[in-house]
Amino acid sequence: MQTPWVVRARLGMLVLGLLRAASAEAISVDGQLDAAYDAPIAMQVTATIMGDNARDAIDYSDGSELDALYAKVVDGTLYLFFTGNQLWSQNPTDPGFFANHLNLFFDTRAGGQAVVRGDNFDVGGFPGHNALAHLAGLSLEGGFGADYWFGTIATGQPNWGLGPFQYHAWSAELLATGGGPGSYLGATGAGAAAGLSGGSNPLAVRVAIDNRNTGGVPSGCAPASGAGVTTGIEWAIPLAALGDPQGCVTLVAFMGTKGNLLIGNQVLPPLPIGSCGWVAPAGLNFAALAGAQSVTLCGLSTPTRQTTWGQLRTRYR
């Protein structure tokens, strides 16, 4: 299926031996990159059509960009760090603010959804904006069967009676037959705030955002690099929240507009160099794009021990 994106290059899929680190390498979930993450496992190669942030604010951001992805497993928890920004800015008209959704899809076992169904967990209206329902019809990369979805969006605008900045998170299990369970995990503030509160989060998933980045990729569609950014969006997801995977876990992350009505070009692993334009989820087929838009993390169930990122190899579709 063709999309409005311009396809100019073929990318490889990164397949990592992601082994557990010693528990002494504790990672602080605060939206700031810790040295324990080592090297990035995916790097952005295209400027953002979703707005380039010029503010130096921990909460407000003029746009969204996914600059790089880092990952680490510590004591049964998968830590993910996306350097960059997630749009949250004032809007002079209803509903009072601009915001984008961050979406994470995980393939953790056999089966799952190769095409996102329309009968998954109902995220609901404000502040969820029916984010998961609007992704129905999205076709994932060949061989990718989504088993879990995690999503976030920020809300808040005191002048409109919506309160201060709040960063909201959801999760859902995606069954091949649809109708899987899910929950609103709760909300937190910006930066090194307390854990998620106000939702159902028995496995204590954590997420934090620090929107102060003004570097990374610029605005537009030209080739660009996401290197050098040290703030962004950070997740701590217990492996139990991913069904206790015994093999590899495959991940794709992307930004959508409020409610995921449209998807931009900020995807990790990245779209081909020069990708540009907006597309509705039902019109997007990752398998039709050159290269690979998913990263596979392996070795999650090995015994706890100190390791490095030495086992890195590249595989092409």
Side-chain angles (χ1 to χ4, degrees), residues 27 29 37 70-74 77-81 206 235-236:
I27 295 176
V29 182
Y37 279 108
Y70 298 77
K72 197 79 166 184
V73 175
V74 180
T77 295
L78 173 61
Y79 291 84
L80 297 171
F81 196 102
R206 287 175 288 160
W235 287 85

Side-chain angles (χ1 to χ4, degrees), residues 49 77 106 121 132 144 148 168 235 244 264 278 280 283 291 303:
I49 63 170
T77 295
F106 293 90
F121 167 70
L132 184 53
F144 192 114
Y148 291 91
H168 305 267
W235 287 85
D244 286 316
W278 300 86

Side-chain angles (χ1 to χ4, degrees), residues 17-23 73-77 239 245-246 298-308:
L18 181 66
L19 303 178
R20 297 189 184 209
S23 58
V73 175
V74 180
D75 295 334
T77 295
L239 295 178
Q246 296 304 301
C298 295
L300 276 68
S301 58
T302 58
T304 302
R305 59 187 176 91
Q306 181 71 44
T307 65
T308 68

Side-chain angles (χ1 to χ4, degrees), residues 228-306:
V229 181
T230 59
T231 56
I233 303 149
E234 189 167 19
W235 287 85
I237 303 176
L239 295 178
L242 296 171
D244 286 316
Q246 296 304 301
C248 300
V249 169
T250 304
L251 164 67
V252 62
F254 58 88
M255 289 286 188
T257 59
K258 189 187 294 184
N260 286 321
L261 296 177
L262 295 171
I263 297 172
N265 69 348
Q266 292 302 288
V267 180
L268 281 179
L271 298 172
I273 293 173
S275 296
C276 196
W278 300 86
V279 61
L284 173 57
N285 182 359
F286 279 119
L289 301 177
Q293 283 74 53
S294 63
V295 64
T296 298
L297 315 174
C298 295
L300 276 68
S301 58
T302 58
T304 302
R305 59 187 176 91
Q306 181 71 44

Side-chain angles (χ1 to χ4, degrees), residues 1-173:
M1 182 179 298
Q2 297 299 313
T3 76
W5 284 318
V6 179
V7 178
R8 298 182 181 173
R10 179 174 178 81
L11 304 179
M13 175 184 288
L14 297 177
V15 182
L16 299 210
L18 181 66
L19 303 178
R20 297 189 184 209
S23 58
E25 283 192 302
I27 295 176
S28 176
V29 182
D30 56 7
Q32 299 184 41
L33 185 63
D34 294 308
Y37 279 108
D38 301 321
I41 63 174
M43 183 71 66
Q44 187 59 251
V45 297
T46 297
T48 176
I49 63 170
M50 305 186 76
D52 186 33
N53 183 48
R55 303 173 187 261
D56 184 15
I58 199 169
D59 46 14
Y60 276 99
S61 175
D62 297 316
S64 292
E65 59 190 68
L66 292 174
D67 290 309
L69 168 59
Y70 298 77
K72 197 79 166 184
V73 175
V74 180
D75 295 334
T77 295
L78 173 61
Y79 291 84
L80 297 171
F81 196 102
F82 297 90
T83 58
N85 303 85
Q86 187 169 353
L87 174 67
W88 180 72
S89 187
Q90 293 179 347
N91 179 357
T93 61
D94 184 66
F97 61 92
F98 295 109
N100 287 161
H101 268 97
L102 172 63
N103 302 279
L104 312 182
F105 281 95
F106 293 90
D107 182 351
T108 67
R109 57 180 181 245
Q113 298 180 18
V115 177
V116 179
R117 296 175 59 106
D119 56 356
N120 291 311
F121 167 70
D122 183 8
V123 175
F126 183 85
H129 301 286
N130 302 298
L132 184 53
H134 289 157
L135 292 175
L138 169 68
S139 297
L140 297 164
E141 193 169 51
F144 192 114
D147 301 298
Y148 291 91
W149 168 83
F150 288 76
T152 59
I153 193 172
T155 65
Q157 174 48 271
N159 294 337
W160 285 78
L162 300 176
F165 178 90
Q166 289 280 282
Y167 196 50
H168 305 267
W170 294 261
S171 69
E173 186 174 3

